[in-house]
């Protein structure tokens, strides 16, 4: 009860202080009346009684003050006074206030925006049950040189791991796939991103479906019954959120799938594009599920309590090595390695995000220094005021507190506006950063707001303490004397400002250099030669379903009529057909045997990327033919045991030899006649993705009639290729109305998609660097203007004594450029260090790229020159008479 | 000035609590009561009661209520809370110990 009484009193004295004070007055008045009345009863005259009562009572004002101090809210009065005072002071200098608030808002906003993203993406645990005990297990090749030691697992390996090791509580596997969803009633067909997952994946992750259930063990078997789980977004989009869909069948890949459940909305693993899940074994054969040489699935494992990750992984690794020995000659890795699932999810964005976070932190620091600089200048202008107030008895602490209140108001307003900036920024990032994992979990919540308060406090201290200390440190007398004399004032303060400026410039240089390196790397990526003539090309993707196009003849007939129809379209110069185009991704590889040299060390068997091509493919794309011929109309069906290889393959596996007419055997069995092919041509190299090394490639003829791979139609058009998209899609629909077409893209669009992350980090860091440069320029301008104002009398004397304008100009410029030079020197040192830190993000760009360093240094110097020009010019045009008179 | 001497300053709280332990009173009556009981020895500076009362209320030892006096005038009446009663006991014991000790020293 006592705490309640106390709190009631506190609250009442806080929020009803006016009525509390009134009540106190009333109480005291009552006291005096009582006392007077008693004294009059005792025979005193009213006048005597009143005076005596007052005397006995004491000074009511002092007493009232004492009471109010007792209310514990005295500091609030002081604070309110400080706030009022500071607000008024800030309102008197709107230019300064707006600039400082804008700078802080921008810097705090950008920082909080990136922090929000970093926190949601990198720091928050995944929304699974006990996510810390979830790990991903990969195969590991000892001789791997690709830089990424984590290789997908062959399905056969996975099944053996799960059956024969016991270090993990359980292991599950999944891999991506795609499915054509159609309807029984002519609904629009569409190709959706799908995942195939083992039945135990959802229980292992600890995911409860929103509707229905997850797969049962007996549903994850090779067979004719098909089951599916819908993701929430697909359930809402395609089925309108109709819960009765559970238990019904939907048509996918021309087969009926029973929907057993719907996943909750928050489940966006492994990516947000996934629309539907089917069992791991769905549509597979028993042989395929037990392959050890085909690596594509991912393996998730849950650690067993009490078993360390190393012990569990070592057990799997030992088993993997036994399989490596057992299947000698096949591509089976030696080891298994693991890493936490969160590292796996964020692997692509971790470095860029941390880099951007550092960039904004740098910018925040620069912003603080800038505001700090502005405050020092302001402090100089108010020096006389400070001195007078000090002389009148204001304590240094009180003055300091007042100055800090001002800074806190500035930073607080900045933080408030900054939160809005952060809100807008995160919304924009979520929308535009494609492939950002866990994007849906990014939000601004109370924690972020609280952290913003912390950042505001920190920036206030960073920006305000130094100027406040320097503004209040001067002795009263000195300040007054100085202010009246004018010359040589505030030299130490100018030194402080220059030091701050040097730091600011050094940080700016670091940012500029990082931005320059990233930008150059991005430009390199964008202008990478894919090995094709990429202009005026339109690509369209579709998958011929094996269930409909059961015979090779059917698919060949489809392909040929499609090509004929498209080639007839006006404006289409040529058309080709292949599995995929350069730049659009990996799309599978296979090992092969050169029959002349059939014996390989283990794991050194030749390996090539697999592509399909029709006779027009190379000409349409503009891939040059180096030797032999391209495919012809006659390389079809059973006449199609022919391949074309890339230059890289020849260089790697047939150095200096003529390959035309030689044979290769795909796979690991040299006696397999069905997989023996004759090399008929050699074509130029292409890149499978910008930023990746070229890879030996084997092209098979499209007209062999094999299906099951994805198809890409390529058209070379006159003028803007996207104008032909609808016409070509109509031709496809005319041939097969049930066939969905996806990814209608030009080559620059494909390249853009695969470089979107680089584009993001480069452009964001560039924006931050640009803003920092602007801040540094403004800072330099401010410092020099200040110095020039301070030195007006001195310069006046110099000119009066015969100094030339040019000399004065030089004097001021040198003064301004000295901190720029020292900042530049330190900044370049920092830039070199940062360059090495981010070199994994750089493509064909060295951390010490001389062009970047030269351009950025020039840029900074130019801005510095522009910023110093105005004050220097002002100094050189000082009228000596005027200057000396103002003293 | 308006402050009581040091001894009273330290014990004013105790005096007020003790005075209120019998019945609720308003400020003036508390002052009068202390004066009367102590045979006019303890002359509390009247105004200084109020900061003390506020402090005690802040501590949750007393509670105040506006009510009518017998003359029909509105006044603020203070009364002891349960916590205040306990505090009174504590301070009384302390005072007894202290005054006994002082007695022993002074009278020896």
């Amino acid at each position: 009860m006592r705490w309640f009484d106390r709190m009631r009193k506190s609250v009442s004295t806080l929020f009803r202080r006016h009525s509390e004070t009134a009540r106190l007055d009333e109480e005291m008045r009552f006291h005096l009346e009582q006392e007077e009345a008693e004294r009059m009863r005792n025979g005193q005259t009213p006048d005597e009684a009143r005076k005596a009562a007052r005397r006995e009572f004491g000074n009511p004002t002092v007493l009232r003050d004492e009471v109010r101090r007792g209310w514990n809210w005295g500091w609030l009065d002081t604070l309110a006074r400080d706030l009022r005072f500071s607000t008024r002071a800030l309102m008197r200098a709107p230019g300064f206030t707006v600039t400082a608030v804008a700078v802080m808002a921008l810097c705090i906003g950008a920082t909080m925006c990136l922090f929000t993203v970093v926190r949601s993406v990198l720091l928050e645990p995944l929304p699974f049950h006990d996510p810390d005990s979830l790990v991903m297990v990969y195969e590991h090749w000892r001789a791997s040189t690709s830089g990424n030691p984590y290789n997908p697992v062959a399905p056969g390996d996975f099944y053996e791991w799960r059956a024969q090791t016991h270090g993990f509580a359980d292991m599950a596997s999944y891999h991506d796939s795609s499915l054509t969803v159609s309807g029984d009633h002519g609904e629009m067909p569409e190709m959706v991103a799908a995942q195939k997952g083992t039945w135990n994946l959802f229980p292992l992750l600890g995911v409860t479906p929103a509707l229905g259930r997850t797969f049962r063990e007996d549903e994850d078997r090779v067979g004719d019954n098909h089951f599916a789980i819908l993701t929430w977004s697909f359930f809402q989009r395609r089925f309108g959120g109709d819960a009765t869909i559970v238990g019904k069948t939907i048509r996918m890949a021309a087969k009926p799938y029973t929907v057993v459940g719907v996943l909750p909305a928050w489940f966006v693993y492994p990516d947000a594009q996934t629309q539907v899940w089917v069992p791991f074994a769905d549509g597979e054969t028993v042989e395929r599920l037990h392959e050890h040489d085909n690596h594509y699935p991912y393996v998730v494992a849950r650690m067993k309590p009490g078993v360390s990750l190393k012990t569990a992984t070592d057990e799997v690794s030992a088993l993997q090595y036994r399989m490596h020995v057992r299947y000698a000659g096949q591509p089976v890795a030696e080891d298994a390695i693991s890493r936490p699932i969160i590292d796996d999810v964020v692997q692509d964005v971790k470095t860029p995000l941390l880099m951007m976070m550092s960039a904004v932190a740098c910018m925040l620091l620069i912003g603080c220094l800038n505001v700090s600089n502005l405050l020092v200048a302001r402090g100089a202008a108010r020096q006389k005021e400070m001195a007078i107030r000090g002389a009148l008895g204001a304590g240094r602490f009180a003055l300091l507190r007042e100055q800090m209140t001002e800074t806190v108001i500035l930073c607080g307003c900045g933080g408030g506006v900054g939160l809005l900036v952060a809100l807008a920024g995160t919304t924009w990032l979520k929308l535009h950063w494609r492939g950002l994992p866990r994007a849906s979990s990014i939000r601004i919540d109370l924690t972020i707001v609280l952290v913003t308060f912390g950042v505001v406090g920190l920036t206030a201290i960073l920006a305000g303490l130094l100027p406040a200390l320097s503004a209040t440190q001067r002795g009263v007398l000195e300040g007054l004397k100085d202010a009246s004399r004018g010359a040589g004032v505030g030299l130490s303060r100018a030194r402080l400002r220059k030091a701050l400026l040097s730091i600011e410039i050094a940080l700016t240089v670091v940012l500029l250099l990082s931005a320059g390196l990233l930008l150059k790397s991005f430009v390199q990526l964008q202008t990478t030669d894919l090995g094709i003539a990429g202009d005026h090309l339109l690509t369209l993707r579709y998958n011929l379903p094996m269930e409909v196009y059961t015979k090779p003849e059917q698919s060949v007939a489809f392909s040929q009529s499609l090509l004929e129809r498209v080639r007839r379209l006006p404006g289409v110069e040529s058309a080709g057909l292949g599995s995929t185009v350069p730049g659009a991704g990996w799309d599978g590889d296979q090992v092969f045997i050169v029959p002349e040299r059939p014996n390989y060390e283990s794991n050194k068997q030749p390996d090539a990327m697999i592509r399909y091509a029709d006779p027009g493919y190379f000409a349409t794309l503009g891939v040059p033919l180096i030797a032999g011929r391209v495919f012809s109309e006659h390389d079809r069906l059973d006449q199609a045991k022919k391949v074309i290889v890339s230059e890289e393959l020849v260089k790697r596996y047939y150095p200096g030899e003529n390959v035309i007419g030689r044979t290769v055997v795909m796979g690991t069995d040299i006696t397999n006649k069905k997989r023996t092919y004759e090399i008929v041509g050699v074509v130029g190299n292409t890149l499978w993705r910008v930023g990746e090394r070229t890879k030996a490639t084997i092209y098979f003829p499209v007209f062999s009639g094999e299906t099951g791979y994805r198809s890409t139609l390529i058209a070379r058009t006159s003028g803007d290729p996207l104008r032909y998209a609808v016409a070509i899609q109509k031709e496809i629909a005319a041939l097969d109305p049930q066939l969905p077409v996806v990814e209608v893209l030009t080559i620059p669009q494909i390249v853009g998609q695969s470089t979107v992350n680089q584009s993001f980090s480069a452009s964001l860091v560039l924006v931050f660097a640009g803003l920092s440069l602007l801040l540094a320029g403004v800072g330099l301008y401010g410092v020099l203007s200040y110095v020039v104002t301070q030195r007006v009398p001195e310069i006046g004397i110099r000119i009066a004594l015969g100094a030339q304008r040019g000399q004065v100009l030089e004097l001021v410029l040198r003064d301004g450029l000295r901190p720029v030079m020292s900042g530049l020197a330190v900044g370049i040192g920092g830039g070199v260090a940062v360059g090495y830190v981010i070199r994994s993000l750089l493509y064909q760009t060295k951390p010490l790229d001389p062009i970047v360093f030269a351009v950025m240094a020039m840029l900074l110097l130019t801005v510095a020159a522009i910023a110093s020009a105005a004050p220097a010019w002002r100094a050189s045009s000082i009228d000596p008479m005027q200057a000396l008179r103002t003293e | 000035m308006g402050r009581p001497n040091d001894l009273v300053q330290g014990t004013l709280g105790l005096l007020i609590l003790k005075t209120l332990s019998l019945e609720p009173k308003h400020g003036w009556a508390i002052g009068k009561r202390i004066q009367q009981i102590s045979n006019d020895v303890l002359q509390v500076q009247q105004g200084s009661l109020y900061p003390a009362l506020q402090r005690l209320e802040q501590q949750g030892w007393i509670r105040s209520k506006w009510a009518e006096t017998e003359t029909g005038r509105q006044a603020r009446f203070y009364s002891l809370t349960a916590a205040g009663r306990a505090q009174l006991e504590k301070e009384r014991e302390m005072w007894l110990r202290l005054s006994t000790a002082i007695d022993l020293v002074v009278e020896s």
Side-chain angles (χ1 to χ4, degrees), chain A residues 501-502 505 780 816-825 860-861 864 868:
Chain A
L501 191 67
S502 292
I505 284 172
L780 180 62
L817 291 183
R818 205 173 302 128
V820 173
M821 284 308 178
S822 52
L824 187 65
L860 182 91
L861 288 176
S868 338

Side-chain angles (χ1 to χ4, degrees), chain A residues 2 27 31 35 56 71, chain B residues 28 45 50 54 59 78:
Chain A
R2 187 175 155 212
E27 198 179 4
H31 184 110
E35 187 69 24
E56 285 293 304
W71 282 346
Chain B
W28 183 75
Q45 177 83 52
Y50 291 94
Q54 287 286 339
Q59 293 291 331
Y78 294 90

Side-chain angles (χ1 to χ4, degrees), chain A residues 707-719:
Chain A
T707 50
Y709 57 86
R710 63 184 193 175
S711 304
T712 305
L713 176 72
I714 312 136
R716 181 170 291 281
T717 62
S718 55

Side-chain angles (χ1 to χ4, degrees), chain A residues 529-538 620-622 716 721 746-748:
Chain A
D529 185 7
L530 284 174
I532 60 174
D535 297 336
H536 304 298
L537 285 181
L538 185 71
T620 307
L621 281 174
R716 181 170 291 281
T746 63
I747 297 292

Side-chain angles (χ1 to χ4, degrees), chain A residues 501 505 776-786 788 808-821 860-876:
Chain A
L501 191 67
I505 284 172
V778 171
L780 180 62
Y781 173 81
V783 172
L784 274 192
S785 302
Y786 168 72
V788 167
V808 173
L809 201 68
E810 197 192 316
L811 184 80
V812 177
L813 275 181
R814 201 173 327 125
D815 207 27
L817 291 183
R818 205 173 302 128
V820 173
M821 284 308 178
L860 182 91
L861 288 176
T862 314
V863 170
I866 294 172
S868 338
W873 181 252
R874 214 176 311 137
S876 71

Side-chain angles (χ1 to χ4, degrees), chain A residues 1-2 5-10 13 20 23-24 26-36 38-39 41 53-59 62-63 66-67 69-73, chain B residues 1-3 26-29 31-32 36 43-55 57-64 66 69 71 73-76 78 81 83 87:
Chain A
M1 272 314 279
R2 187 175 155 212
D5 283 332
R6 292 175 70 157
M7 203 167 72
R8 199 184 49 187
K9 180 75 184 172
S10 290
T13 51
E20 275 288 328
R23 253 180 300 195
L24 184 67
E26 171 63 25
E27 198 179 4
M28 288 179 171
R29 197 159 41 235
F30 169 75
H31 184 110
L32 290 173
E33 277 171 23
Q34 290 291 102
E35 187 69 24
E36 271 176 56
E38 194 185 70
R39 282 174 187 274
R41 270 202 302 280
R54 301 257 146 136
R55 199 170 46 242
E56 285 293 304
F57 191 77
N59 183 346
V62 171
L63 288 167
E66 202 180 323
V67 168
R69 252 203 309 283
W71 282 346
N72 287 337
W73 299 105
Chain B
M1 295 289 287
R3 287 160 198 265
H26 50 72
W28 183 75
K32 279 289 151 219
Q36 275 167 18
Q43 290 267 354
V44 177
Q45 177 83 52
Q46 295 185 0
S48 65
L49 272 176
Y50 291 94
L53 283 168
Q54 287 286 339
R55 208 166 45 241
E57 192 178 3
Q58 197 104 44
Q59 293 291 331
W61 290 328
I62 60 174
R63 168 186 307 146
S64 71
W66 286 83
T69 63
T71 58
R73 179 85 162 71
Q74 281 288 321
R76 187 185 235 174
Y78 294 90
T81 63
Q87 179 67 17

Side-chain angles (χ1 to χ4, degrees), chain A residues 264-494:
Chain A
W266 59 261
F267 187 85
V268 287
Y269 185 80
D271 55 45
Q273 283 78 50
T274 302
Q275 306 281 294
V276 61
W277 283 80
V278 296
F280 196 76
D282 187 75
E284 303 286 353
T285 61
V286 175
E287 294 76 52
R288 260 181 72 81
L289 283 180
H290 291 93
E291 281 174 345
H292 290 274
D293 55 352
N294 209 347
H295 305 81
Y296 52 94
Y298 297 93
V299 173
V300 196
R302 184 174 286 283
M303 284 156 65
K304 216 180 236 180
V307 181
S308 79
L309 179 58
K310 187 175 180 310
T311 315
T313 311
D314 284 351
E315 192 190 350
V316 175
S317 207
L319 170 64
Q320 184 63 31
Y321 193 76
R322 289 201 295 279
M323 286 195 280
H324 169 73
V325 173
R326 195 183 336 145
Y327 302 105
Q330 283 191 34
V332 178
E334 301 95 335
D335 303 320
I337 53 171
S338 57
R339 62 173 163 185
I341 191 168
I342 181 75
D343 290 355
D344 200 78
V345 170
V346 301
Q347 55 173 340
D348 291 334
V349 294
K350 193 170 181 178
T351 322
L353 263 183
L354 290 180
M355 184 193 57
M356 282 189 247
M357 184 77 225
S358 321
V360 285
C362 257
M363 191 169 86
L364 181 67
L365 203 54
I366 290 171
C368 284
L369 291 172
N370 212 311
V371 170
S372 187
N373 246 332
L374 290 172
L375 283 169
V376 174
R378 208 171 131 70
R382 290 170 60 185
Q383 183 178 311
K384 218 172 186 173
E385 177 199 330
M386 288 292 149
I388 291 172
R389 291 181 57 192
L392 291 179
R396 182 169 181 205
F397 180 71
L399 292 178
L400 203 64
R401 196 183 56 211
E402 220 166 73
Q403 289 248 316
M404 283 312 286
T405 312
E406 220 166 85
T407 320
V408 170
I409 291 178
L410 287 177
C411 293
C413 290
V417 181
L419 265 183
L420 298 179
V421 173
L423 193 65
T426 41
T427 315
W428 187 84
L429 272 180
K430 262 160 84 172
L431 274 178
H432 291 85
W433 191 334
R434 286 173 52 129
L436 177 66
R438 314 180 66 192
S440 57
S441 68
I442 297 172
R443 76 205 167 275
I444 289 186
D445 57 12
L446 193 65
T447 317
I448 297 291
V449 175
L450 290 179
V451 173
T452 311
F453 277 122
V455 171
V456 164
L458 202 68
T459 51
I461 291 172
L462 268 176
L465 203 53
L466 211 53
L469 283 177
S470 98
T472 55
Q473 80 186 350
R474 303 174 63 80
V476 172
L477 217 57
E478 231 179 302
L480 288 171
K481 261 194 301 188
D482 253 11
S484 65
R485 233 194 302 125
V489 174
L491 267 182
S492 73
R493 203 159 295 151

Side-chain angles (χ1 to χ4, degrees), chain A residues 838-853:
Chain A
I838 62 171
R839 75 181 174 282
S840 68
L841 299 175
L842 301 179
Y843 172 70
Q844 289 191 358
T845 310
K846 294 201 177 60
L848 281 175
D849 190 282
I851 298 175
V852 168
F853 274 66

